Amino acid sequence: MKASTTGKLSIYLLLAPLAVWLFTLIILPHIDMFLISLHERVAPRVYRTSLANYAEFFNEPLYWRTFARTAIMSIVATAITLVVAFPISYYIAKMLRGRLKAVLFLLCLVPFWVSELVRTFGWMILLRESGIFSAVLQWTGLASAPVEMLYNDATIMLGLVYTSMLFMVVPLVTTLDSLDDSLVEAGYDLGGNGLTVLREIIVPHAMPGIVSGCIVVFMLTLGNYLTPVLLGGKDSMWFTAQIYTQFITRFNWELGSAFGFLLLGLSSLIVWSGLKLSRQTLSGTMG
């Protein structure tokens, strides 16, 4: 057997588990879910093919309003996460050296050693009416009665940003770490101020990390279920909660599948728009 043939066979064998995983757990379920979304129930266990489930989404204001609200809040959460994570990442990548750099980066990882459920319950313990923050406000005299800080949009946003922070910090630190310090120094030597250097040198260099971090955070936020439901309560109006209700509570798999595909279309459209606006490519960003 020729060496080139042996090499190709080795590559195919190495890629086989990945191909099986992609087809079995990603492609096949999505094909089946798409077919289910086209089923319209006309009688018990009798279905016909139609777009009735998608039409129901557009005819029911609660569904598309929740859809739009989820998209807008996910975009805002991604933007806030970027604003908060960028200076932290720059400080870790360019200001610290040696063991201190590793320690601070490790501290960013520590909260993710526990599950998202435990982290969300932690916020509930702090922010509930009988929680620590409410007790501190009453003890300091800033509040005369228990303060309920849960079940509002600000709390949902806080939880989403906290949950996604690491996924923005990691690509930013990796990208900023490759920025040559002499370029920044040259920017100042040529008369630039901090804002100019940030706009002309640092941000363009960090753009692949910014885009990849935004894509990951946006996708995680859009598909998040635990944080919006637990921190926002029954009035959180999050689209993944609508999907859960259709699948698990109402056993309406047809409408739930249609909702799932609408969410997939929305996320793909927003990611594509983000890549076009930032003039980045998906392969260049993820590579």
Side-chain angles (χ1 to χ4, degrees):
M1 187 178 292
K2 294 182 179 179
S4 59
T5 305
T6 305
K8 289 181 180 179
L9 182 60
S10 301
I11 293 174
Y12 292 150
L13 290 175
L14 288 173
L15 293 178
L18 175 63
V20 171
W21 174 73
L22 285 174
F23 181 77
T24 306
L25 297 179
I26 306 294
I27 298 175
L28 193 60
H30 277 78
I31 292 174
D32 191 40
M33 194 167 73
F34 178 68
L35 295 176
I36 292 175
S37 72
L38 298 177
H39 289 173
E40 180 187 5
R41 186 181 304 174
V42 294
R45 299 189 178 185
V46 178
Y47 300 92
R48 69 180 179 189
T49 302
S50 76
L51 296 174
N53 295 310
Y54 294 94
E56 184 173 345
F57 167 80
F58 291 103
N59 292 330
E60 173 54 59
L62 176 64
Y63 292 153
W64 55 261
R65 284 177 184 171
T66 306
F67 189 72
R69 168 185 159 84
T70 304
I72 293 171
M73 288 194 68
S74 298
I75 293 172
V76 173
T78 303
I80 294 175
T81 306
L82 174 61
V83 171
V84 175
F86 195 90
I88 297 173
S89 305
Y90 187 82
Y91 185 74
I92 294 174
K94 307 308 293 182
M95 299 296 183
L96 298 180
R97 295 289 184 272
R99 182 175 297 179
L100 189 58
K101 181 177 182 177
V103 168
L104 190 56
F105 193 70
L106 184 62
L107 288 177
C108 294
L109 296 174
V110 168
F112 291 85
W113 289 358
V114 297
S115 70
E116 182 182 356
L117 181 64
V118 174
R119 280 180 273 135
T120 305
F121 274 127
W123 279 112
M124 295 182 72
I125 291 172
L126 292 175
L127 300 175
R128 63 180 178 173
E129 192 174 11
S130 57
I132 296 174
F133 286 175
S134 178
V136 170
L137 289 175
Q138 294 176 76
W139 180 73
T140 57
L142 296 175
S144 58
V147 180
E148 179 62 87
M149 300 182 191
L150 293 173
Y151 315 127
N152 55 66
D153 288 350
T155 305
I156 295 175
M157 192 62 67
L158 176 67
L160 291 174
V161 171
Y162 171 75
T163 303
S164 309
M165 185 62 66
L166 179 66
F167 302 98
M168 185 69 80
V169 168
V170 170
L172 283 176
V173 169
T174 304
T175 309
L176 289 170
D177 217 15
S178 63
L179 175 61
D180 194 337
D181 292 341
S182 61
L183 292 175
V184 178
E185 294 170 2
Y188 285 110
D189 291 342
L190 293 172
N193 54 29
L195 185 61
T196 306
V197 171
L198 176 68
R199 187 180 65 245
E200 300 295 336
I201 298 176
I202 299 175
V203 170
H205 181 86
M207 189 54 71
I210 293 173
V211 175
S212 62
C214 287
I215 289 174
V216 174
V217 169
F218 173 74
M219 300 291 275
L220 289 174
T221 304
L222 190 70
N224 199 319
Y225 173 78
L226 278 176
T227 302
V229 170
L230 291 180
L231 296 182
K234 63 180 181 181
D235 297 325
S236 61
M237 289 186 65
W238 205 256
F239 199 67
T240 50
Q242 294 279 1
I243 296 175
Y244 177 87
T245 300
Q246 297 302 328
F247 273 108
I248 306 301
T249 305
R250 299 180 60 184
F251 299 103
N252 191 346
W253 282 45
E254 296 78 26
L255 190 57
S257 298
F259 283 3
F261 257 87
L262 288 168
L263 192 66
L264 177 62
L266 173 71
S267 61
S268 301
L269 177 64
I270 293 179
V271 169
W272 178 82
S273 303
L275 289 171
K276 290 297 179 185
L277 289 174
S278 61
R279 299 179 180 178
Q280 300 291 311
T281 62
L282 189 60
S283 59
T285 301
M286 296 302 175

